Amino acid sequence: MIGVHRWCLRSPFRKQLTCKYLQSAPEHEANLPNTPKPPPTTTKPLPTPTSFPKPQLVNATKTVTSSSSSKNPELSNPKLQSLVLSNFPKSQLCFAYGSKILHQLENLPDASTMTDLIFVVKNTMQWHEENMAKNKHHYSRLMRMVGPAGISVLQSTKPYCFFNPFVEVEGVLLKYGVVGESHVLKDLQQWDTLYIAGRLHKPVLILDMDPAFKSQYIKLNLRSALHAALLFLPDRFSDTQLFSVISRISYYGDIRMYLKLENPNKVRNIVEPNIPHFRELYERYIDESPFIERTDYGYCQAPRTEKNLYKMERYLPPKLLYLPEGNIHPKSRVFKFDKNLDPKHQLFRKVAAGDARYCEEQLRLIIMWPSIFQTFKGLLSAGVGKSWKYSAAKLKKSQAGNEAAKGSSVVKFKQSEVGSLMSSDYQNYKHKESNMDPNNRKAFFAMWSMMFIFIIYFINLFDLWDKLT
């Protein structure tokens, strides 16, 4: 059989790809279902590899799939769905995610592991008012003092989420977050913070969805993630590489990664045992994409030329290749733009050459500050005690991942395996020996962290009080 590197260079395949690229691509807009589909190609589609197992869809109408139900027999879908519907106010969308739903390597859930939920609601203040009347004990003492109005003020800063961790409902330990529908739709469409959109890049368990909820935004988000991953992947790649890069997008710039409060192998732990779920989640968008073709060895993407990038831009969220309007040259730490040339032409030329550092920089700018704000907002929303307990649990998982990484060569990704993004992922989080004594380093970090925490804590308290009075 002809090798894939020779097969991709054959002229019929190039002609086929060129025909697909010249088709009109749908605009990057919210009304995705009403967008006219491109006309079908005249060429015969390539067969899907027969070695792929049939994927299983994770939804709220079936029991949890075999990969997770064997690990969590007590958490079947009907029970979790019934728990949500009977104990919480009505929401537009509710979904579960995390290791309690899908099995993860190095992260076997136990009795102390929380089930993560997200409630998307129309009016956050009204939802908190109803939930506080029904589940007042879920909130910290400070949040009970300020009431639903104060919670809405605290929730008004990015990423617009409010979490209640370590809540026990009918014998199930939960951590649930609440976010407004308008902020979620904006995030799914534009990648405003990637806080909710990033979680929906991965397989989740939909527990409840209002018929009026605009589910086309979720589809738009998945399509954006697929095409954004192509900027970081080589010309030929496997499904594991593709899904690893997609999963990595939402962690790039996350403050928890920089502080090593997350397992450095988290992406691998999520992707490897759940490949069938990822395949089913993205199968439709891979087949519809004019930039990806299936091969006997995985996938082959279109030549990364400037012309194709201009067409792919319609499939990408606007912030990923953000450039100021009016031909203004952006300030970038990774690129030096020539003021005499068009900035968009310069950027696309470098991305076409395989340099995706500007896209990585944009992801970092999108994710970093919302993740910092959310970390310190947790001190107010959950209280110091629960926040400390949650941080200790995260640190324990991180240390377990670090110990596993020291004796394993599997986590040392190569650029040829997962692209530049995953290569930088390992480079950023691999553990180097430090000249500072470990005990002194921990004490130094703890001292400055506590100072910063108390400053933010009191600033938020005064600001919250002023807005309420």
Side-chain angles (χ1 to χ4, degrees), residues 400-423:
N402 296 338
E403 293 176 0
K406 288 180 181 179
S408 175
S409 60
V410 179
V411 298
K412 298 184 178 180
F413 298 107
K414 297 180 181 179
Q415 184 169 351
S416 60
E417 294 175 348
V418 291
S420 61
L421 183 61
M422 292 302 296
S423 177

Side-chain angles (χ1 to χ4, degrees), residues 381-404:
S381 61
V384 178
K386 286 186 177 180
S387 298
W388 179 263
K389 184 179 179 181
Y390 180 75
S391 300
K394 284 288 186 181
L395 186 60
K396 183 179 179 181
K397 291 182 181 180
S398 175
Q399 290 175 346
N402 296 338
E403 293 176 0

Side-chain angles (χ1 to χ4, degrees), residues 51-152:
S51 59
F52 286 0
K54 186 177 180 180
Q56 300 176 5
L57 182 62
V58 183
N59 55 37
T61 59
K62 300 190 296 184
T63 56
V64 181
T65 53
S66 58
S67 63
S68 56
S69 59
S70 60
K71 302 294 180 181
N72 308 304
E74 76 282 0
L75 279 181
S76 62
N77 287 5
K79 178 180 178 180
L80 191 58
Q81 188 177 22
S82 174
L83 180 149
V84 168
L85 296 177
S86 60
N87 290 279
F88 294 96
K90 179 65 178 176
S91 61
Q92 298 300 107
L93 172 68
C94 177
F95 65 88
Y97 63 98
S99 59
K100 271 285 190 176
I101 302 303
L102 292 178
H103 171 54
Q104 296 181 16
L105 300 177
E106 303 178 8
N107 191 14
L108 298 179
D110 51 28
S112 63
T113 304
M114 294 181 290
T115 301
D116 299 306
L117 301 176
I118 291 290
F119 291 94
V120 180
V121 301
K122 272 192 173 297
N123 188 316
T124 56
M125 183 174 174
Q126 181 181 353
W127 194 92
H128 284 299
E129 187 175 357
E130 296 177 10
N131 191 47
M132 192 169 285
K134 184 183 292 188
N135 304 306
K136 191 173 183 178
H137 61 284
H138 291 182
Y139 295 84
S140 65
R141 182 176 300 178
L142 176 62
M143 293 298 102
R144 292 197 297 266
M145 289 173 56
V146 299
I151 295 174
S152 297

